[in-house]
Amino acid sequence: MAQMGSALPAQNLDAMAALAKVVVLYPDDPVANNQLGLVHGYLEDYEQSLKYYLVCVGRRGAPYLYYGNAASAYANLGRYGKARELLEEFLRTSPESGVAHLALADISNYEGRYDLALAEADKARQTRKRRMMVIVVAALAVVGGVVAGLKI
């Protein structure tokens, strides 16, 4: 297995070339751009990976995956403020995203802003707790329906 920052195995170079062709034909394609971003991140070329991730983030309704990847690239470049901005942008439209709150807690920790890191970690915990309650209630409803259907 290749080490981080090392050259890609030959078969991956073919895949990278194919993805680059897709991006030339479809410059806004989020899947190809994200994959190229991942490859460049693997090679520790975070500036290049960021270029591809930002195409994905620029799409309306982009999922956390793209924001998280771009924020991670910014963090790897030591640009924590930009990582924070991206995560806060995502959270404005998806405040219930526990994973985004955890990522923001991580960035705050790197910045030495421990009060903010704790606050974001608590928000993540609260969103997960609410989500788990919904899952438990839904599961109980299903079990109740099954039990009622069996007429026990």
Side-chain angles (χ1 to χ4, degrees):
M1 181 183 277
Q3 295 289 330
M4 288 297 289
S6 65
L8 286 173
Q11 69 271 21
N12 291 357
L13 291 174
D14 293 338
M16 189 174 173
L19 286 168
K21 288 178 183 177
V22 170
V23 169
V24 168
L25 292 172
Y26 306 100
D28 295 330
D29 180 74
V31 174
N33 277 287
N34 188 62
Q35 293 303 315
L36 278 170
L38 290 171
V39 170
H40 285 282
Y42 176 84
L43 295 171
E44 297 180 0
D45 183 358
Y46 302 116
E47 286 289 348
Q48 192 66 19
S49 68
L50 188 57
K51 177 184 118 178
Y52 292 109
Y53 292 145
L54 290 178
V55 170
C56 302
V57 167
R59 295 178 59 84
R60 195 169 111 208
Y64 173 75
L65 171 71
Y66 303 144
Y67 279 87
N69 286 347
S72 183
Y74 274 130
N76 281 315
L77 291 166
R79 296 164 65 185
Y80 301 113
K82 293 297 282 182
R84 169 179 295 287
E85 287 175 22
L86 263 184
L87 294 170
E88 288 172 344
E89 177 184 325
F90 179 78
L91 284 166
R92 279 192 287 282
T93 59
S94 301
E96 295 296 313
S97 174
V99 70
H101 283 293
L102 279 178
L104 192 51
D106 195 37
I107 294 298
S108 298
N109 186 49
Y110 279 114
E111 292 176 310
R113 300 169 77 178
Y114 305 116
D115 55 334
L116 292 174
L118 286 172
E120 289 300 326
D122 189 54
K123 288 177 188 175
R125 184 182 61 79
Q126 291 299 321
T127 59
R128 287 184 174 183
K129 183 188 275 185
R130 282 192 293 271
R131 187 172 298 140
M132 285 306 296
M133 286 303 294
V134 168
I135 291 169
V136 168
V137 168
L140 289 174
V142 168
V143 170
V146 170
V147 170
L150 294 175
K151 298 181 183 179
I152 296 175

